[in-house]
Amino acid sequence: MLLTEILEKSTKEFSSRPALTMKIGYRTVSLRYADVYRWSVRVARFLEKEGISKGDAVLLIAPSSPYWICIFWGAILRGAILVPLTTQSRADMVKKVITQTQAKLVFAYRGYGESLPQHIRRFDIEFLNELLTDEGAEAEPHGEIRFLCKAKEDDIAEILYTSGTTGDPKGVPLTHKNIASNVATLTETIFKGLPFARSVGKLFQ
């Protein structure tokens, strides 16, 4: 199964339900499943505008947040490969990762003070809404997901890196199939027997 299929089905099944809520600074960001979809489309279009094509790597150095999730899905919709790094990543490690993945763009949180190579474009995740255009804001969650670079189950969706504590960091490529199968197993285990388990199960049928 493709990750984009999970996004499409969950958006249709739970459109008006709350998906993500988090207090960020002095405000609380709350997104429904339909909102997550619309934001993700906007991120995908932003990546296109910035010259990111299918198979290009996009770094993400930030703590968990609704914005983090929308960037993940936006990269998936664009066909890009997301490379998430911990906020403790040192400049030398990040430089090696950029070299290995040939990343062109990085989303980072404002508190990340390590220097980055001059050639890579940096955008602060806290200002994600200001970065995105209104294109995609009207995306219809009940319609077919648009703006896809045709993906296959064996396409790389994400590269996870080791900490590099005992040597150079090593990246582990994860495909759509890898991640989707893990999500399906976890979902079945966590929600088994709950009232809405059947609805959740539809995501993987």
Side-chain angles (χ1 to χ4, degrees):
M1 173 175 280
L2 297 172
L3 293 175
T4 48
E5 293 178 294
I6 296 177
L7 176 63
E8 180 179 20
K9 290 183 177 182
S10 62
T11 301
K12 289 180 178 179
E13 187 70 25
F14 309 115
S15 178
S16 61
R17 291 189 180 183
L20 303 167
T21 300
M22 183 176 181
K23 186 174 182 181
I24 301 177
Y26 294 103
R27 58 177 178 163
T28 298
V29 177
S30 297
L31 300 178
R32 300 170 302 156
Y33 279 85
D35 298 324
V36 172
Y37 168 63
R38 293 188 181 101
W39 274 65
S40 301
V41 172
R42 294 170 69 196
V43 171
R45 288 182 172 160
F46 174 79
L47 294 175
E48 181 193 38
K49 182 180 177 181
E50 291 296 319
I52 301 300
S53 302
K54 181 177 180 179
D56 287 340
V58 173
L59 265 62
L60 177 54
I61 310 174
S64 297
S65 72
Y67 299 145
W68 197 107
I69 300 297
C70 292
I71 289 172
F72 172 86
W73 283 116
I76 295 298
L77 287 175
R78 184 61 191 144
I81 300 172
L82 191 74
V83 186
L85 299 175
T86 68
T87 56
Q88 290 78 38
S89 298
R90 299 290 297 267
D92 56 342
M93 175 184 172
V94 174
K95 184 177 180 180
K96 289 177 182 178
V97 171
I98 291 173
T99 300
Q100 291 175 6
T101 62
Q102 298 183 338
K104 301 178 179 179
L105 181 151
V106 57
F107 288 102
Y109 82 112
R110 283 184 295 172
Y112 186 72
E114 297 285 341
S115 60
L116 299 173
Q118 292 184 350
H119 72 275
I120 194 165
R121 285 159 285 165
R122 171 178 174 161
F123 299 95
D124 289 339
I125 193 172
E126 290 88 351
F127 299 113
L128 184 62
N129 191 41
E130 287 78 3
L131 291 172
L132 306 180
T133 66
D134 288 334
E135 295 181 20
E138 76 294 343
E140 175 52 58
H142 295 291
E144 181 180 357
I145 280 188
R146 297 175 288 121
F147 200 73
L148 293 180
C149 293
K150 291 184 179 180
K152 299 178 181 179
E153 286 189 336
D154 292 329
D155 284 347
I156 298 173
E158 183 179 31
I159 298 178
L160 290 181
Y161 269 84
T162 62
S163 62
T165 304
T166 58
D168 287 340
K170 298 176 178 63
V172 180
L174 297 175
T175 65
H176 280 253
K177 187 176 182 179
N178 292 148
I179 300 174
S181 63
N182 286 339
V183 172
T185 301
L186 286 171
T187 300
E188 181 180 357
T189 301
I190 294 171
F191 296 106
K192 186 176 181 179
L194 294 178
F196 53 90
R198 183 174 297 179
S199 295
V200 175
K202 290 180 181 178
L203 305 181
F204 305 97
Q205 295 176 353

